[in-house]
Amino acid sequence: MQNEEQVLKYIENLIPDRSEAFKEIEQYAVEHDVPIMELVGIETLLQLLRMHQPKKILEIGTAIGYSALRMAEALPECKVVSVERDEQRHNKALANVETMNMSSQVFLIKGDALEVEHLVREHGPFDVLFIDAAKSQYRKFFDIYSKMLSPNGVIFTDNILFHGLVAEEKIESRNLRQLIRKIKEFNIWLMEHPDYHTAIMPVGDGLAISKKRG
Ligand code: SAH
Ligand code: MG
């Protein structure tokens, strides 16, 4: 689109205001550089979830609990289990869940998602898996946790377009180049996965939606 930035602003301005509690978390994220989901991305995800009506969601990458709490609020009948390895963020997320009185719906696990499979499994199976953690590990998260999906399960994977860098021809930094290569490999692997239909939504930082084939 020609004026992509303006269109994005236009959509953002149309989105109704969140509650004070959520606006405070959004503000905290800006001030402390916490990469919570972008507004249009989370609103799109929430709408897809309202259509799917999951009873249990597994999130990989809690950060400070923003997306987990928003999903829980949008789906009052749904439980959200979320994993975070960073202690400070996990603690902040716990505090946010407490403040918003959501501890009956949101359960937080502190640990590296590559190591806490056994703890997570006790809460499964899950109707939705939402992967939003270290981009270099996406394939591993997908392989480990897609096994805990219920038969009608859907997998959402965030940040798969990485600020559009996946479509950039020349990247100077070597580290960045490697990460982008990993993301692109994951995207190809995911799109070719024989067990899933996947569509890529260019909202937020890029959201892949994978549905188990019948
Ligand atoms: N879903 C959140 C944002 C998550 S940001 C929201 O939109 O509100 C990504 C988070 O994943 C970071 O806080 C990071 O510490 C965490 N993370 C990265 N790799 C992880 C891993 N292997 N296990 C658990 N958490 C991880
Ligand atoms: Mg993200």
Side-chain angles (χ1 to χ4, degrees):
M1 225 179 291
Q2 273 291 313
N3 50 350
E4 223 171 303
E5 289 283 307
Q6 281 158 281
V7 172
L8 184 63
K9 270 268 151 328
Y10 173 77
I11 300 172
E12 281 176 352
N13 285 329
L14 282 174
I15 294 171
D17 252 358
R18 277 75 58 213
S19 65
E20 279 310 313
F22 278 125
K23 282 202 272 187
E24 269 173 39
I25 303 178
E26 290 170 7
Q27 190 56 36
Y28 180 98
V30 171
E31 282 163 12
H32 295 80
D33 262 326
V34 184
I36 63 169
M37 267 195 112
E38 287 156 67
L39 203 48
V40 178
I42 185 81
E43 294 293 339
T44 305
L45 174 65
L46 294 180
Q47 188 70 338
L48 292 163
L49 292 174
R50 287 185 196 103
M51 292 164 72
H52 187 55
Q53 286 293 323
K55 291 280 173 281
K56 225 182 256 178
I57 297 174
L58 170 64
E59 175 182 69
I60 307 299
T62 319
I64 55 175
Y66 180 73
S67 52
L69 284 162
R70 293 222 50 200
M71 291 191 288
E73 189 203 52
L75 304 162
E77 309 283 290
C78 181
K79 291 223 166 18
V80 181
V81 175
S82 186
V83 184
E84 172 59 53
R85 69 177 171 192
D86 181 281
E87 182 154 20
Q88 214 180 332
R89 286 184 180 172
H90 168 76
N91 287 337
K92 185 68 187 169
L94 279 176
N96 285 334
V97 170
E98 202 57 41
T99 308
M100 293 187 76
N101 263 317
M102 294 289 254
S103 47
S104 60
Q105 262 182 280
V106 179
F107 186 78
L108 302 178
I109 295 173
K110 152 90 180 61
D112 190 314
L114 300 178
E115 293 163 7
V116 295
E117 190 181 340
H118 57 291
L119 295 178
V120 175
R121 189 177 294 111
E122 289 171 23
H123 300 271
F126 302 96
D127 308 305
V128 163
L129 166 61
F130 174 41
I131 302 174
D132 191 15
K135 291 182 270 290
S136 55
Q137 309 286 349
Y138 271 10
R139 172 126 175 223
K140 284 185 188 150
F141 299 142
F142 195 102
D143 277 336
I144 295 173
Y145 293 108
S146 61
K147 295 197 189 88
M148 298 180 195
L149 218 53
S150 57
N152 254 320
V154 176
I155 303 177
F156 295 94
T157 312
D158 192 33
N159 307 102
I160 53 142
L161 299 179
F162 198 21
H163 316 297
L165 291 175
V166 288
E168 211 62 55
E169 305 245 305
K170 259 207 157 359
I171 302 288
E172 296 298 328
S173 149
R174 189 157 176 271
N175 285 343
L176 199 58
R177 224 169 29 232
Q178 267 172 7
L179 180 55
I180 293 166
R181 185 168 49 79
K182 276 218 122 175
I183 297 170
K184 290 169 81 166
E185 278 168 10
F186 172 79
N187 288 344
I188 292 170
W189 174 81
L190 184 58
M191 293 302 280
E192 290 177 347
H193 201 304
D195 301 338
Y196 292 87
H197 285 294
T198 296
I200 291 177
M201 312 262 292
V203 292
D205 201 22
L207 187 67
I209 310 169
S210 308
K211 174 96 182 57
K212 262 191 195 173
R213 288 174 192 260

